[in-house]
Amino acid sequence: MRRALILLPPFLWLLLLVAAPVAILAGIALSEPAPGVPPFLPPVSLEAGWQGSFANLLTLAEDWYYAAAFLRSLVVAFLSAAICLLLAYPMALGIASAREGWRVPLLALVLLPFWTGFLPRLGAWIGLLRDGGWVNGVLMGLGLTEAPVPLLYSDAALYLGMVHAYLPFAVLPLTATLLRRDLSVEEAAADLGATPWVVFRTVTLPLSLPGAAAAFLLVFIPAAGEFVIPELLGPPEALLVGRALWGEFFQNRDWPLAAALAVALLALLILPIRLFQRLEDDGGSRRAASPPSRSSGQSLDMVP
């Protein structure tokens, strides 16, 4: 009875803020667009057949416009996560290898972008990358170019904004994993004549793969549905799921099709979300079963 009372608040929280919105979204996805407020009719009756109930989902499957949006979103999310992972490894390794007194300030620097609003950060990138911005000013001042380089509203600006926004999500789990590694294994490899690169490739990297996978998924999952960064920094022709969903909801006022897009994106992300949960469960089991390493000590309290 006491256990049920303890679990009741989080269960109600998940029911009201997760399950209920998803159920409402699925109901709208099975509805028909219609003029009025709200701009849709309830789900069609079963006499209309399953084709009528799932007309919006069938539209997503048959129209290449939406399939291309999903494909490009996955590509952008994958490349953004890969770039963040490549940048996060040296940063996390440097933080984990630093003296204990320096780790908290270094982690604070990683989290520093979160201390300001999301839109002001994007506005700063717009100011830097526009034709009359600082970047073009420096390039022209150094004589590297005679005319402004079109940096804004490009794929480069899109990935720059994505990496800047999501890099801390990759650094933190990698740092936590590297702080828990056993330094004696690396020292043994070095004593046997392995170079630092060989030690990293054969010892450090395999030991940190669970943290790397978690870091990759923590970036990939939110980046797949990102709308604001592609809209403000990306090229106009970059059709992503977030842009397609926004257009159907606000411009075309086709709420059922927009809800179908959201449901399809959620279904597409269930696998990486479940994979991330599995990695978290396995990592927690390994941490509970193994004693703390020499490199961790009390420093693990500083990393979530």
Side-chain angles (χ1 to χ4, degrees), residues 183-204:
L183 291 179
S184 61
V185 181
E186 297 181 0
E187 293 172 356
D191 291 341
L192 292 174
T195 62
W197 166 246
V198 173
V199 172
F200 173 79
R201 182 171 55 85
T202 59
V203 179
T204 308

Side-chain angles (χ1 to χ4, degrees), residues 206-298:
L207 291 176
S208 62
L209 282 181
F216 183 90
L217 292 174
L218 276 177
V219 177
F220 177 85
I221 292 171
E226 181 60 50
F227 163 73
V228 179
I229 297 175
E231 183 69 20
L232 296 182
L233 298 180
E237 68 275 7
L239 177 64
L240 278 74
V241 173
R243 277 185 166 181
L245 196 155
W246 187 91
E248 296 296 342
F249 191 90
F250 290 102
Q251 295 178 345
N252 300 335
R253 288 185 59 80
D254 193 341
W255 287 22
L257 188 55
L261 278 167
V263 170
L265 179 62
L266 179 61
L268 195 64
L269 293 178
I270 284 178
L271 180 60
I273 290 174
R274 187 67 190 95
L275 180 59
F276 173 72
Q277 293 174 340
R278 180 68 178 271
L279 289 173
E280 285 292 299
D281 294 341
D282 292 345
S285 301
R286 282 194 297 269
R287 289 193 296 269
S290 60
S293 65
R294 288 191 298 141
S295 63
S296 48
Q298 297 178 351

Side-chain angles (χ1 to χ4, degrees), residues 84-98 103 106-107 110 167-181 200 204 208 211-212 215 303:
C84 286
L85 191 60
L86 290 176
L87 295 177
Y89 250 112
M91 296 174 64
L93 194 58
I95 294 173
S97 302
R103 290 174 184 169
L106 291 175
L107 287 172
V110 172
L167 183 59
F169 291 98
V171 174
L172 292 180
L174 263 180
T175 302
T177 302
L178 291 173
L179 279 172
R180 298 186 184 100
R181 75 190 193 280
F200 173 79
T204 308
S208 62
V303 182

Side-chain angles (χ1 to χ4, degrees), residues 4-22:
L5 291 176
I6 294 175
L7 294 178
L8 183 61
F11 176 78
L12 293 177
W13 179 274
L14 292 175
L15 182 65
L16 293 175
L17 299 182
V18 178
V22 171

Side-chain angles (χ1 to χ4, degrees), residues 126-140 148:
I126 293 174
L128 289 171
L129 299 176
R130 62 189 178 90
D131 290 348
W134 287 11
V135 176
N136 272 307
V138 171
L139 294 177
M140 296 174 65

